[in-house]
Amino acid sequence: MKKIEEQLESIEEVLSLVIRKNASIENLIQTVTDTQNKTLADALIELKTDLIQELSAQQLETYFSQIKQAIVNVQKTLEVRHHHHFDLQSKGFIISAAVLVLSTAISVAVAISNYNESSRLHESNLKFRIARQLSPALTARVDSIYYEDPERAELETQKQEALNLSVKEVEELLKNKQKETREAAE
């Protein structure tokens, strides 16, 4: 995460540097254009004053050639379009990016769930293998009961668990009552 933040900061620095350089280039282009426009305006004013003084055709021809040369030398500035907003053309990109992010999130969630389930199954497998080593006859009987009727095996297991839980509750209640009678007797 730190690397990404450092990269973002370096990208922001480069971007600000590019923006400043772009602004300075635009200012330079503007000043060059202004000076060339001023030169052309001065040449036209001179031509106008010379025409007023009734210059010869040859002098007019040289002035026109100078003006033509100046016009050719003036570079046409290119219009730079800054595009910093979302429009209909970028809608597809935004939808695609959202779909990719969503599918990635779902894939990561499924992978984590599968990892947790795999870990749980691995633990159960290890417990069953230990039980098989400690009591092979009991695990063989459990296997045979389960393979005969898995649904009945589950119901019987739930019944046994409920019975064991109620027996433990009764034993705990009996211990509490015995403790109370001892305390009352004392």
Side-chain angles (χ1 to χ4, degrees):
M1 191 71 178
K2 247 185 184 177
K3 287 182 180 181
I4 293 173
E5 290 176 354
E6 291 173 0
Q7 288 177 347
L8 276 174
E9 290 175 3
S10 64
I11 289 171
E12 288 175 355
E13 291 174 3
V14 169
L15 188 58
S16 66
L17 182 65
V18 167
I19 289 171
R20 280 186 270 144
K21 289 212 181 233
N22 189 18
S24 65
I25 289 171
E26 286 179 1
N27 288 339
L28 184 63
I29 289 172
Q30 187 64 33
T31 55
V32 167
T33 305
D34 290 344
T35 56
Q36 287 177 348
N37 287 343
K38 187 173 181 184
T39 306
L40 284 174
D42 291 343
L44 285 174
I45 290 172
E46 269 185 75
L47 181 62
K48 197 174 191 181
T49 55
D50 286 343
L51 282 174
I52 292 173
Q53 296 173 358
E54 299 178 299
L55 294 175
S56 68
Q58 190 172 2
Q59 287 176 335
L60 284 175
E61 208 173 297
T62 58
Y63 282 124
F64 281 132
S65 66
Q66 287 175 356
I67 291 172
K68 283 182 183 178
Q69 188 64 29
I71 290 173
V72 168
N73 289 338
V74 172
Q75 292 181 352
K76 293 187 177 182
T77 59
L78 297 175
E79 184 180 320
V80 178
R81 244 181 90 192
H82 295 285
H83 188 72
H84 297 290
H85 61 279
F86 296 113
D87 58 1
L88 291 177
Q89 294 174 349
S90 60
K91 183 173 74 170
F93 172 75
I94 293 170
I95 291 172
S96 300
V99 167
L100 287 175
V101 166
L102 184 64
S103 63
T104 302
I106 291 171
S107 298
V108 167
V110 168
I112 290 171
S113 174
N114 284 343
Y115 176 77
N116 291 338
E117 182 68 15
S118 175
S119 297
R120 189 186 65 77
L121 289 175
H122 181 70
E123 290 171 3
S124 295
N125 181 33
L126 182 62
K127 289 175 188 176
F128 189 74
R129 286 175 34 213
I130 290 171
R132 186 177 285 161
Q133 296 300 318
L134 294 176
S135 178
L138 179 64
T139 54
R141 183 159 195 261
V142 167
D143 280 343
S144 67
I145 291 172
Y146 179 77
Y147 288 122
E148 283 178 14
D149 189 8
E151 292 176 7
R152 193 184 107 226
E154 185 175 354
L155 288 174
E156 290 296 324
T157 304
Q158 289 174 355
K159 285 180 186 176
Q160 286 295 327
E161 287 173 346
L163 181 67
N164 288 340
L165 185 64
S166 62
V167 166
K168 284 182 184 178
E169 289 175 356
V170 168
E171 286 176 352
E172 190 175 316
L173 187 63
L174 181 64
K175 285 180 186 177
N176 288 339
K177 292 291 182 182
Q178 287 175 351
K179 186 178 180 182
E180 287 176 6
T181 55
R182 274 190 233 132
E183 288 175 0
E186 289 176 357

